[in-house]
Amino acid sequence: MLRSLHPISALYTFFYRQLYTRLAWAYDGVSWLVSLGRWDGWRRVALGFVSGADVLEVGFGTGELLSEMASRGMAVTGLEPSAAMQRITARKLGVRGQDVPRVQGFAQALPFADATFDTVLSTFPAGFATDPATHAEFARILRPGGWLVIVDVALCSDNPLLRLLYSIAFPPKPGATAKFRQALDGSGLRIAGRIVGQGAVRVVVTLGEKVASDARVA
Ligand SMILES: C[S@@+](CC[C@H](N)C(=O)[O-])C[C@H]1O[C@@H](n2cnc3c(N)ncnc32)[C@H](O)[C@@H]1O
């Protein structure tokens, strides 16, 4: 069943690209809809894994988590390549009276010096998460002892109806999990995983620790 949907994954990829650019105004509504209202909660799981003072959010989309982190007094910086997402976020933060440093750029070429952040987080990252260049950059800008936090969701059920519905909302990307693991493994970060929540759809948190060089020797 899932295999037969693969040919339309190109169409989904096109749609999602539009959603990050010219249809960015619809992003919050679409993510609410495909998650049946759970997107914000899933995204917020990342906050339980933040450590240290300086946080970078990569691919912040419409800026909800940036805003949430700012409202908690966290020192957060955001990076996002889409001009449309940047505009929506700027408007949102302005309305809320928040000022959060943001840069336009790509995960694969982060415009930050080595060892700048204590936590780098990304929720529902796009294709950049399967690119080894992304994880090399994450490892570079993390301070020793810093953490990478990546949040996604997974279906934990064999129910065929649920599997069909899930594959419509979250189209299968053949080989993506293996590519993600490979890209991570090459980063030099120490990788761990956590599953959060109960029920059919659970939050998958991938953690990568930048081990201090003297700790590696010990
Ligand atoms: C599925 S959205 C997730 C947005 C937000 N983090 C959330 O949880 O709703 C993926 C985001 O990654 C951004 N993106 C796409 N390519 C990127 C890249 N190479 N580097 C950084 N961000 C990228 C997109 O513009 C989009 O805003």
Side-chain angles (χ1 to χ4, degrees):
M1 176 62 74
L2 289 178
R3 255 184 185 289
S4 65
L5 288 171
H6 288 168
I8 61 169
S9 68
L11 198 63
Y12 273 107
T13 303
F14 174 77
F15 170 70
Y16 278 104
R17 245 180 235 143
Q18 302 306 304
L19 198 56
Y20 305 153
T21 53
R22 71 182 63 179
L23 299 180
W25 53 269
Y27 181 87
D28 284 342
V30 170
S31 53
W32 187 91
L33 202 65
V34 298
S35 65
L36 305 178
R38 297 166 74 190
W39 199 267
D40 275 347
W42 289 342
R43 199 161 35 195
R44 228 176 267 129
V45 168
L47 301 183
F49 296 90
V50 169
S51 62
D54 296 309
V55 181
L56 174 69
E57 183 182 3
V58 176
F60 59 69
T62 57
E64 276 302 327
L65 199 61
L66 271 189
S67 173
E68 171 106 25
M69 288 190 275
S71 70
R72 295 182 183 205
M74 296 162 69
V76 61
T77 300
L79 176 129
E80 165 63 52
S82 159
M85 290 298 202
Q86 290 276 359
R87 274 195 301 278
I88 289 169
T89 300
R91 207 174 311 134
K92 196 179 274 183
L93 295 173
V95 167
R96 297 177 188 176
Q98 294 176 317
D99 187 17
V100 178
R102 277 163 286 121
V103 293
Q104 195 168 0
F106 293 92
Q108 295 91 335
L110 294 171
F112 306 106
D114 296 0
T116 301
F117 295 99
D118 299 297
T119 298
V120 174
L121 69 84
S122 190
T123 59
F124 304 100
F128 65 86
T130 56
D131 188 342
T134 293
H135 298 284
E137 281 293 81
F138 289 167
R140 180 182 68 76
I141 63 158
L142 276 170
R143 293 186 179 127
W147 286 90
L148 169 66
V149 180
I150 294 186
V151 164
D152 217 325
V153 287
L155 179 68
C156 302
S157 166
D158 288 330
N159 180 310
L161 180 62
L162 276 182
R163 288 180 75 78
L164 175 65
L165 291 175
Y166 185 85
S167 69
I168 290 170
F170 300 94
K173 297 179 207 117
T177 306
K179 278 193 210 152
F180 173 58
R181 281 304 307 197
Q182 258 175 18
L184 265 178
D185 286 345
S187 70
L189 298 173
R190 188 157 64 192
I191 309 301
R194 301 274 186 283
I195 304 284
V196 179
Q198 298 294 321
V201 181
R202 300 186 194 165
V203 178
V204 178
V205 186
T206 303
L207 300 166
E209 183 185 12
K210 179 157 176 179
V211 182
S213 49
D214 48 346
R216 265 200 208 108
V217 172

